[in-house]
Amino acid sequence: MEVADMAKWTTGEIPDLAGKRAVVTGANSGLGLCTALELARHGATVVLACRSAERGRAALDRIRAAAPGCDVALGSLDLADLASVGAFAAEHGTTGLDLLVNNAGVMALPRRTTADGFELQFGTNHLGHFALTGLLLPALLDRPGARVVTVTSMMHWLGSLDFDNLDGESRYGKWAAYCQSKLANLVFAKELDRRAQGRLTSVAAHPGYAATNLQQAGPRMSGSRIGEVLNGLANTVVAQSDAAGAQPILYAATAPEVRGGQCYGPRGPGQSRGAPRRVPTRRKADDPELGRRLWEVSEQRTGVIYDTLRQER
């Protein structure tokens, strides 16, 4: 498919995924739920990696109702707790894995820390997924053509990796922390693809401005009823649906013409909405030195070492 034809791409063009096994983080709602549903609908065996067992079971029921006969299962995963990440990988990483969608995330929250003491947004959005990917790496390398899709945001354009203040201890801004975590997602996706050297494909994707529960979670945690209402209104009036926002993720996960190290997002104005396409990203995200530094810091913090890829370099 030529780039110009991406404007016509729909989920109906997802190939038959029978025999493929996928893990989708944050699959209980929004982008993750839409992504998991379409993968299951097209024949993949899908593990819904969810923090909340109650919401995960509800998502499982919704997918089974929408795609009767599909092969889906529920897994317990809290990306803000490395012990939970390790337990999930131990349970679900023993057989081959064709696709990992690093989707779960938090956005613009008051400063909190993870179970391991990391700033919550950087710890959940980046470090949790870094650890999960590394622990699932043997299962991914077991399947030729495996892919890792890491969900970033158009807000990465405003991000900066402050290695002297990754946890926001000396200064903290909720949006600055979010943008930093989303830039980290993009840098990680590109660096993973460099290190994999063709043994798997790592790409990034973002949904544009899509209506999910993320926009209202931050104001709710801050006790801002006005902010919660205004963000809900913006979701209704301005944002595209979560199903539309999931299209670039699904394209990145399944389209045969996808190339490693790229980012896929909406083709519309400001990458905010529209059919999927390969989209430009900040030049600094391609900097191998920045990728190397983030990688080393992430290994040190999580204790997860990508030994197999290290041996190949």
Side-chain angles (χ1 to χ4, degrees):
M1 180 185 296
E2 298 296 329
V3 172
D5 293 333
M6 289 186 196
K8 303 175 183 178
W9 190 90
T10 69
T11 55
E13 296 178 54
I14 295 174
D16 181 11
L17 301 176
K20 304 292 187 182
R21 183 168 176 266
V23 168
V24 181
T25 70
N28 58 278
S29 65
L31 301 171
L33 175 58
C34 293
T35 298
L37 170 59
E38 290 300 331
L39 294 175
R41 184 175 274 153
H42 287 82
T45 295
V46 184
V47 178
L48 313 181
C50 303
R51 181 173 61 86
S52 166
E54 180 181 359
R55 285 180 290 175
R57 284 192 294 269
L60 191 68
D61 291 342
R62 286 183 61 184
I63 291 175
R64 286 174 172 168
C70 66
D71 187 359
V72 289
L74 181 61
S76 176
L77 174 66
D78 183 354
L79 289 161
D81 184 345
L82 291 178
S84 174
V85 174
F88 178 89
E91 181 177 356
H92 298 282
T94 57
T95 57
L97 182 63
D98 300 278
L99 174 63
L100 171 61
V101 181
N102 290 324
N103 161 77
V106 292
M107 183 175 75
L109 305 178
R111 188 178 183 278
R112 302 283 192 275
T113 56
T114 69
D116 304 283
F118 310 131
E119 186 276 316
L120 185 61
Q121 297 189 78
F122 188 75
T124 301
N125 298 355
H126 169 62
L127 291 175
H129 280 125
F130 178 91
L132 178 67
T133 305
L135 293 172
L136 292 177
L137 187 62
L140 288 159
L141 295 178
D142 187 56
R143 294 290 180 91
R147 287 190 197 182
V148 177
V149 179
T150 301
V151 178
T152 182
S153 165
M154 56 186 178
M155 296 293 286
H156 88 270
W157 288 92
L158 303 178
S160 178
L161 289 171
D162 186 352
F163 289 102
D164 295 323
N165 188 44
L166 288 175
D167 292 318
E169 293 178 321
S170 61
R171 60 191 175 280
Y172 181 78
K174 62 183 182 180
W175 280 108
Y178 176 71
C179 295
Q180 173 176 254
S181 73
K182 292 288 104 178
L183 177 59
N185 286 150
L186 181 60
V187 172
F188 165 63
K190 290 175 177 288
E191 181 66 10
L192 175 58
D193 196 72
R194 276 192 292 268
R195 291 177 180 246
Q197 298 181 327
R199 299 181 66 195
L200 59 76
T201 298
S202 172
V203 297
H206 80 78
Y209 183 10
T212 71
N213 59 11
L214 282 183
Q215 288 89 348
Q216 292 169 286
R220 189 178 301 121
M221 287 184 67
S222 300
S224 173
R225 177 59 180 164
I226 293 176
E228 185 178 351
V229 171
L230 289 177
N231 281 0
L233 181 62
N235 276 355
T236 301
V237 176
V238 180
Q240 62 179 353
S241 68
D242 51 7
Q247 284 207 3
I249 301 170
L250 287 160
Y251 182 88
T254 65
E257 62 274 12
V258 163
R259 296 293 176 264
Q262 302 297 330
C263 183
Y264 297 86
R267 66 187 304 108
Q271 301 181 21
S272 62
R273 62 193 304 119
R277 60 163 291 184
R278 182 165 58 84
V279 294
T281 57
R282 289 188 68 179
R283 184 174 298 177
K284 70 187 301 181
D286 291 299
D287 180 3
E289 177 58 27
L290 183 63
R292 180 198 62 78
R293 187 174 184 189
L294 176 64
W295 193 277
E296 291 179 354
V297 167
S298 302
E299 285 190 334
Q300 291 166 5
R301 288 186 155 221
T302 64
V304 175
I305 309 299
Y306 288 55
D307 286 325
T308 306
L309 297 188
R310 178 173 289 181
Q311 292 167 4
E312 295 294 322
R313 284 173 67 80

